[in-house]
């Protein structure tokens, strides 16, 4: 199961930077979802892409908080985050 989801959009510079960051710190552990693929995603995230979800919950947006994401990935799913 992939723990990290990046909600992004084609042609978005910040999204490209986020993808490169995730490739570096979590290779093979993330998936990309296009915000324009559904009305629900557009409604929830349209003006905040890229958005990082960890275990299905919003972890951050616009930039990947590397240290925090690395720390939270080390925790088991369901374990409380600080």
């Amino acid at each position: 199961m992939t723990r990290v989801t990046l909600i992004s959009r084609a042609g978005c510079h910040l999204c490209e930077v986020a993808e490169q960051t995730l490739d570096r710190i979590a290779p093979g552990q993330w998936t990309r979802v296009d915000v324009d693929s559904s009305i629900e995603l557009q409604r929830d995230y349209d003006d905040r892409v890229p958005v990082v979800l960890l275990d299905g919950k919003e972890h951050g947006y616009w930039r990947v908080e590397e240290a925090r994401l690395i720390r939270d990935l080390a925790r088991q799913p369901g374990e409380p985050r600080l």
Side-chain angles (χ1 to χ4, degrees):
M1 176 181 181
T2 305
R3 296 187 61 198
V4 179
T5 302
L6 179 68
I7 300 173
S8 65
R9 154 180 295 125
C12 165
H13 174 69
L14 288 178
C15 299
E16 292 170 5
V17 171
E19 289 177 12
Q20 292 167 358
T21 302
L22 291 175
D23 277 341
R24 185 171 37 78
I25 67 173
Q29 297 182 51
W30 66 278
T31 58
R32 179 187 181 278
V33 175
D34 190 323
V35 71
D36 296 317
S37 66
S38 81
I39 296 295
E40 292 82 15
L41 289 174
Q42 287 177 349
R43 182 188 64 230
D44 293 342
Y45 303 113
D46 188 52
D47 61 344
R48 295 188 298 141
V49 294
V51 178
V52 176
L53 306 179
L54 177 60
D55 298 326
K57 296 183 179 170
E58 190 172 316
H59 191 268
Y61 57 94
W62 291 335
R63 303 233 189 269
V64 177
E65 297 177 55
E66 290 186 47
R68 183 171 158 243
L69 182 58
I70 290 167
R71 181 194 69 211
D72 291 345
L73 278 169
R75 298 185 194 319
Q76 294 300 316
E79 187 176 336
R81 291 186 239 157
L82 302 175

